[in-house]
Amino acid sequence: MSSDHTSSAPRRTLRLRRESWGFVIGSFLFGMAATRVYGQAVGPEIDNITYFVGSLFFTTAGFIQLRLSGRPVPGEESATVERYDWWAALIQFVGTLLFNVSTGVVLIQSLTVEQDRVWGWRPDLFGSTAFLVASGLAVVATTETDKLWDPHARNWRSTWLNMIGSVAFGVSAVGAYIVPGTDALKNATIADLGTFVGAVCFLVAALLMRPTHPRYSPNQARTRS
């Protein structure tokens, strides 16, 4: 049994590190693309591509997170934290797929304003909502293991940073609403600022949760068996 732990734990740690770096890179690209300095320097096409590539890193990290949370749907016998963790990971993964759609649609230049609103803004809004719901479930899961207010717990800080980032993404989606009859955003400044703040929160949260390489000794292996 100890050999199972020594062989599986490093693989899990590697996956956790990949998940963390996926969210870090995706957040960095979203935050960079949201700044006007970068957008003016590279132009709108490269800026939109940056968003899309960032969304792919989010999706990859979200898929790893879902796999690590457990493949079968938790049942009644599962602990509360397991159920909330699994649903949080699933809903967040769906949210990343919606961001793939919303950022990918922007790359299609031939869409009408109405098509852009339906296929671009709506997935953006639903994706932000999915992130917000997932963050809420993660808060519940963290509360089951830590206190609701525990500044010294790394999980606690990361969870609440993700919640703040999800709220910021939601505000950004509202600001990015396309005013009917025009091709203008309701509030481009709020849309960019919300994306930037959310991306920074997600980036810091991912760095906080980045695991270190485990070092095992024979004694540690026996205590885990």
Side-chain angles (χ1 to χ4, degrees):
M1 186 177 229
S2 61
S3 61
D4 292 338
H5 284 294
T6 56
S7 61
S8 63
R11 287 199 300 270
R12 180 176 177 82
T13 300
L14 178 60
R15 292 174 183 172
L16 285 170
R17 289 179 65 85
R18 289 173 177 171
E19 173 198 331
S20 176
W21 280 113
F23 282 123
V24 166
I25 297 173
S27 300
F28 176 79
L29 291 176
F30 262 61
M32 182 171 63
T35 62
R36 292 188 177 180
V37 174
Y38 177 80
Q40 292 173 352
V42 301
E45 185 175 352
I46 299 298
D47 195 44
N48 292 333
I49 290 175
T50 303
Y51 273 121
F52 180 67
V53 173
S55 75
L56 297 180
F57 276 98
F58 273 139
T59 299
T60 301
F63 179 72
I64 295 173
Q65 184 181 51
L66 180 59
R67 289 292 302 272
L68 287 172
S69 67
R71 296 186 66 180
V73 180
E76 295 182 357
E77 71 283 357
S78 303
T80 301
V81 72
E82 292 175 333
R83 293 197 299 271
Y84 280 99
D85 268 342
W86 189 87
W87 281 109
L90 176 63
I91 294 172
Q92 180 166 273
F93 177 63
V94 172
T96 65
L97 294 177
L98 290 169
F99 280 125
N100 292 160
V101 175
S102 63
T103 56
V105 163
V106 178
L107 300 177
I108 304 175
Q109 302 295 329
S110 60
L111 289 177
T112 65
V113 174
E114 180 60 25
Q115 288 173 327
D116 190 32
R117 186 181 69 83
V118 173
W119 297 105
W121 180 77
R122 285 184 182 178
D124 185 26
L125 178 65
F126 295 149
S128 298
T129 302
F131 267 44
L132 188 59
V133 172
S135 296
L137 292 173
V139 167
V140 175
T142 301
T143 305
E144 287 293 318
T145 55
D146 300 315
K147 299 176 182 177
L148 184 62
W149 181 266
D150 188 2
H152 301 292
R154 188 175 63 168
N155 285 358
W156 179 92
R157 288 179 291 172
S158 178
T159 301
W160 278 102
L161 277 170
N162 280 325
M163 172 61 81
I164 296 171
S166 297
V167 172
F169 264 36
V171 172
S172 172
V174 173
Y177 177 72
I178 300 175
V179 179
T182 72
D183 59 354
L185 303 185
K186 183 175 183 180
N187 193 320
T189 300
I190 292 297
D192 290 339
L193 181 61
T195 300
F196 180 78
V197 171
V200 171
C201 289
F202 293 145
L203 189 152
V204 175
L207 287 176
L208 284 174
M209 293 305 296
R210 184 169 59 90
T212 57
H213 288 292
R215 296 180 180 178
Y216 290 93
S217 67
N219 290 334
Q220 286 176 314
R222 280 195 291 271
T223 58
R224 289 175 173 269
S225 59

